[in-house]
């Protein structure tokens, strides 16, 4: 049985750290998995990533921005995620469609219905089984992200934008509680790792992918 796990959250919430820790847990439990990310994960996606994120000087209309993320997503689903799931793999994706709903829908103000429709086309309706949402106050998150260096296009947006993004993630999670594990990004890395592993190892055990859950 395949398993599609995504990580979401506002800037600086600690996704990368927790994805690395989950990867180490999976390796220790001998569970193979395919790590990927958005935007990116394919040759086209990597090119789109550099246009949409790194080239901060380039003017990109909100609609164009959304369509670029969607183009990266369509390629990633077709080339990587769907084939992996079809062969029964575990896929871990750093951001996915919820990021477009939050950043381009709530953040940039695009029509949520339109965002949902295009996302449906781009993904063929493919949704994650589990989404880990690391929630964090954007004032804290942006300070954390700033330590990492030059802000990218989205990090450069104002605080109000990031507050809308955070709230949108929480609203999406509240509407689909069975898919989401919502965690407070201010908790310690060890505590977050333990909670994430408890949820994911339980699912893997139910799927027969690990025999003894290792908490
Ligand atoms: P990411 O690589 O996860 O960076 P970070 O470590 O800053 O979270 O995400 C890249 C940026 O792209 C992030 O600011 C969120 C943004 N993004 C969107 O605005 N829409 C999308 O659909 C996706 C996938 C990402």
């Amino acid at each position: 049985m395949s398993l599609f796990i995504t990580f979401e959250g506002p800037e600086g919430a600690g996704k990368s750290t927790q994805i690395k820790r989950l990867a180490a847990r999976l390796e220790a439990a001998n569970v193979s998995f395919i790590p990927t990310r958005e935007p990116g994960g394919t040759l086209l996606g990597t090119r789109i990533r550099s246009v949409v994120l790194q080239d901060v000087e380039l003017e990109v209309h909100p609609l164009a921005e959304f369509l670029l993320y969607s183009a990266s997503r369509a390629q990633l689903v077709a080339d990587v995620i769907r084939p992996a799931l079809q062969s029964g793999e575990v896929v871990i994706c750093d951001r996915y469609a919820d990021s477009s709903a939050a950043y381009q829908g709530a953040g940039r103000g695009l029509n949520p219905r339109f965002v949902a429709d295009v996302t449906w086309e781009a993904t063929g309706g493919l949704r994650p089984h589990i989404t880990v949402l690391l929630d964090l106050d954007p004032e804290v998150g942006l300070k954390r992200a700033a330590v990492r260096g030059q802000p990218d296009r989205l990090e450069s947006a104002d605080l109000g934008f990031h507050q809308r993004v955070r709230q949108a993630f929480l609203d999406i999670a509240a509407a689909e509680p069975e898919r989401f594990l919502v965690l407070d990004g201010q908790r310690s890395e060890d505590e977050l790792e333990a909670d994430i592993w408890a949820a994911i190892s339980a699912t893997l055990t139910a799927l027969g992918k690990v025999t003894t859950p290792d908490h």
Side-chain angles (χ1 to χ4, degrees):
M1 273 287 281
S2 62
L3 183 63
F4 181 23
I5 305 165
T6 60
F7 278 73
E8 298 279 7
E11 309 300 320
K15 280 185 295 103
S16 316
T17 305
Q18 291 304 326
I19 290 172
K20 269 191 218 129
R21 285 175 174 236
L22 174 60
R25 292 277 197 161
L26 288 168
E27 274 156 21
N30 263 323
V31 178
S32 68
F33 62 95
I34 297 187
T36 189
R37 71 167 174 180
E38 279 204 0
T42 63
L43 272 178
L44 177 68
T46 304
R47 291 195 189 175
I48 290 175
R49 184 181 182 88
S50 69
V51 169
V52 83
L53 287 175
Q54 274 120 47
D55 199 349
V56 196
E57 300 297 310
L58 186 74
E59 216 174 288
V60 183
H61 186 277
L63 176 59
E65 182 183 83
F66 169 56
L67 294 173
L68 285 166
Y69 281 116
S70 298
S72 171
R73 182 164 302 133
Q75 190 79 22
L76 184 68
V77 168
D79 282 5
V80 178
I81 302 179
R82 200 177 284 284
L85 295 176
Q86 272 163 357
S87 27
E89 295 277 358
V90 175
V91 175
I92 303 176
C93 197
D94 184 348
R95 296 196 184 278
Y96 186 63
D98 298 320
S99 276
S100 276
Y103 282 85
Q104 280 67 51
R108 299 287 195 220
L110 294 184
N111 180 340
R113 187 69 251 156
F114 173 73
V115 170
D117 287 349
V118 173
T119 299
W120 179 271
E121 292 296 331
T123 60
L126 180 69
R127 295 156 82 84
H129 301 109
I130 302 176
T131 299
V132 178
L133 172 59
L134 293 173
D135 174 53
L136 190 65
D137 181 337
E139 289 201 59
V140 179
L142 288 171
K143 273 191 204 128
R144 283 191 189 172
V147 178
R148 299 198 298 242
Q150 204 58 18
D152 65 28
R153 177 180 306 279
L154 278 296
E155 285 163 4
S156 317
D158 62 52
L159 193 58
F161 172 92
H162 289 286
Q163 273 154 351
R164 290 196 298 281
V165 169
R166 179 201 195 183
Q167 192 54 50
F169 276 129
L170 291 172
D171 293 346
I172 297 166
E176 283 182 76
E178 63 298 338
R179 169 160 73 93
F180 275 87
L181 175 64
V182 183
L183 298 170
D184 177 354
Q186 300 244 51
R187 289 168 61 215
S188 78
E189 290 179 358
D190 286 350
E191 284 174 337
L192 292 170
E193 176 187 345
D195 280 9
I196 293 168
W197 182 241
I200 289 175
S201 63
T203 306
L204 290 168
T205 305
L207 293 175
K209 285 192 180 280
V210 285
T211 40
T212 28
D214 169 17
H215 291 281

